[in-house]
Coordinates of all heavy atoms in Angstrom, one line a residue:
T1081 N 18.7 -2.8 -25.5 CA 20.0 -3.0 -24.7 C 19.7 -3.0 -23.2 O 20.6 -3.2 -22.4 CB 21.0 -1.8 -25.0 OG1 20.5 -0.6 -24.4 CG2 21.2 -1.7 -26.5
L1082 N 18.5 -2.7 -22.8 CA 18.1 -2.7 -21.4 C 18.7 -1.5 -20.7 O 19.6 -1.6 -19.9 CB 18.4 -4.0 -20.7 CG 17.5 -4.5 -19.6 CD1 17.7 -5.9 -19.2 CD2 17.4 -3.6 -18.4
L1083 N 18.2 -0.2 -21.0 CA 18.7 1.0 -20.4 C 18.0 1.3 -19.1 O 18.4 2.2 -18.4 CB 18.3 2.1 -21.3 CG 19.0 2.3 -22.6 CD1 18.5 3.5 -23.4 CD2 20.5 2.4 -22.5
L1084 N 17.1 0.4 -18.6 CA 16.3 0.7 -17.5 C 17.2 1.1 -16.3 O 18.3 0.5 -16.0 CB 15.4 -0.5 -17.1 CG 14.3 -0.2 -16.1 CD1 13.3 0.8 -16.7 CD2 13.6 -1.5 -15.8
F1085 N 16.8 2.1 -15.5 CA 17.5 2.6 -14.3 C 18.8 3.3 -14.6 O 19.6 3.5 -13.7 CB 17.7 1.6 -13.3 CG 16.4 1.2 -12.5 CD1 15.8 -0.1 -12.8 CD2 15.8 2.0 -11.7 CE1 14.7 -0.5 -12.1 CE2 14.6 1.7 -11.0 CZ 14.0 0.4 -11.3
S1086 N 19.0 3.7 -15.9 CA 20.3 4.4 -16.2 C 20.1 5.9 -16.4 O 19.0 6.3 -16.6 CB 20.8 3.8 -17.6 OG 20.0 4.1 -18.6
D1087 N 21.2 6.6 -16.1 CA 21.1 8.0 -16.4 C 20.8 8.3 -17.9 O 20.1 9.3 -18.1 CB 22.5 8.6 -16.0 CG 22.8 8.7 -14.6 OD1 21.9 8.5 -13.7 OD2 23.9 8.8 -14.2
E1088 N 21.3 7.5 -18.7 CA 21.2 7.7 -20.1 C 19.7 7.7 -20.5 O 19.1 8.5 -21.2 CB 21.9 6.7 -21.0 CG 23.4 6.8 -20.8 CD 24.0 6.3 -19.5 OE1 23.5 5.3 -18.9 OE2 24.9 7.0 -19.0
Q1089 N 18.9 6.7 -20.0 CA 17.5 6.6 -20.3 C 16.7 7.8 -19.8 O 15.9 8.4 -20.4 CB 16.8 5.3 -19.7 CG 15.4 5.3 -20.0 CD 14.7 4.0 -19.6 OE1 15.2 2.9 -20.1 NE2 13.6 4.0 -18.8
R1090 N 17.1 8.2 -18.5 CA 16.4 9.4 -18.0 C 16.6 10.6 -18.8 O 15.7 11.4 -19.2 CB 16.9 9.6 -16.5 CG 16.4 10.8 -15.8 CD 14.9 10.8 -15.7 NE 14.3 9.9 -14.8 CZ 12.9 9.9 -14.6 NH1 12.2 10.9 -15.0 NH2 12.4 9.0 -13.9
K1091 N 17.9 10.8 -19.3 CA 18.1 12.0 -20.2 C 17.4 11.9 -21.5 O 16.9 12.9 -22.0 CB 19.7 12.0 -20.5 CG 20.5 12.5 -19.2 CD 22.0 12.4 -19.6 CE 22.8 12.7 -18.4 NZ 24.3 12.4 -18.6
I1092 N 17.2 10.7 -22.1 CA 16.5 10.5 -23.3 C 15.1 10.9 -23.1 O 14.4 11.6 -23.9 CB 16.7 9.1 -23.9 CG1 18.2 8.8 -24.3 CG2 15.8 8.9 -25.1 CD1 18.5 7.4 -24.5
Q1093 N 14.5 10.4 -22.0 CA 13.1 10.7 -21.7 C 12.9 12.2 -21.4 O 12.0 12.8 -21.9 CB 12.6 9.9 -20.5 CG 12.4 8.5 -20.7 CD 12.0 7.8 -19.4 OE1 12.7 7.0 -18.8 NE2 10.8 7.9 -19.0
D1094 N 13.9 12.8 -20.7 CA 13.7 14.3 -20.4 C 13.8 15.1 -21.7 O 13.3 16.2 -21.8 CB 14.9 14.7 -19.5 CG 14.7 14.2 -18.1 OD1 13.5 13.8 -17.8 OD2 15.6 14.3 -17.3
A1095 N 14.5 14.5 -22.8 CA 14.5 15.2 -24.1 C 13.3 15.1 -24.8 O 13.1 15.8 -25.9 CB 15.7 14.6 -24.9
G1096 N 12.3 14.3 -24.3 CA 11.0 14.2 -24.9 C 10.7 12.9 -25.8 O 9.6 12.7 -26.2
A1097 N 11.8 12.1 -25.9 CA 11.6 10.9 -26.6 C 10.8 9.9 -25.8 O 11.0 9.8 -24.6 CB 12.9 10.3 -27.0
R1098 N 9.9 9.2 -26.5 CA 9.3 8.0 -25.8 C 10.2 6.8 -26.0 O 11.0 6.8 -27.0 CB 7.9 7.7 -26.2 CG 7.6 7.8 -27.8 CD 6.2 8.0 -28.1 NE 5.8 7.6 -29.4 CZ 5.8 8.3 -30.5 NH1 6.3 9.6 -30.5 NH2 5.4 7.8 -31.6
V1099 N 10.2 6.0 -25.0 CA 11.2 4.9 -25.1 C 10.5 3.5 -24.8 O 9.7 3.4 -23.9 CB 12.3 5.0 -23.9 CG1 13.3 3.9 -23.9 CG2 13.0 6.4 -24.0
L1100 N 10.8 2.6 -25.8 CA 10.2 1.3 -25.6 C 11.3 0.2 -25.4 O 12.1 0.1 -26.4 CB 9.3 0.9 -26.8 CG 8.6 -0.4 -26.7 CD1 7.4 -0.3 -25.7 CD2 8.1 -0.9 -28.1
M1101 N 11.4 -0.5 -24.4 CA 12.3 -1.6 -24.2 C 11.7 -2.9 -24.8 O 10.7 -3.3 -24.5 CB 12.5 -1.8 -22.7 CG 13.5 -2.9 -22.3 SD 13.8 -3.1 -20.6 CE 12.5 -4.2 -20.1
V1102 N 12.6 -3.5 -25.6 CA 12.2 -4.8 -26.2 C 13.4 -5.8 -26.1 O 14.4 -5.6 -26.8 CB 11.8 -4.6 -27.7 CG1 11.3 -5.9 -28.3 CG2 10.9 -3.5 -27.9
V1103 N 13.3 -6.7 -25.2 CA 14.5 -7.6 -25.0 C 14.0 -9.1 -24.8 O 14.9 -9.9 -24.6 CB 15.4 -7.2 -23.7 CG1 16.0 -5.8 -24.0 CG2 14.6 -7.2 -22.5

Side-chain angles (χ1 to χ4, degrees):
T1081 73
L1082 217 167
L1083 292 179
L1084 195 60
F1085 287 109
S1086 68
D1087 288 346
E1088 294 71 40
Q1089 177 170 305
R1090 177 53 70 171
K1091 287 176 186 169
I1092 293 165
Q1093 289 180 253
D1094 288 347
R1098 45 201 203 272
V1099 180
L1100 184 74
M1101 178 179 86
V1102 187
V1103 296

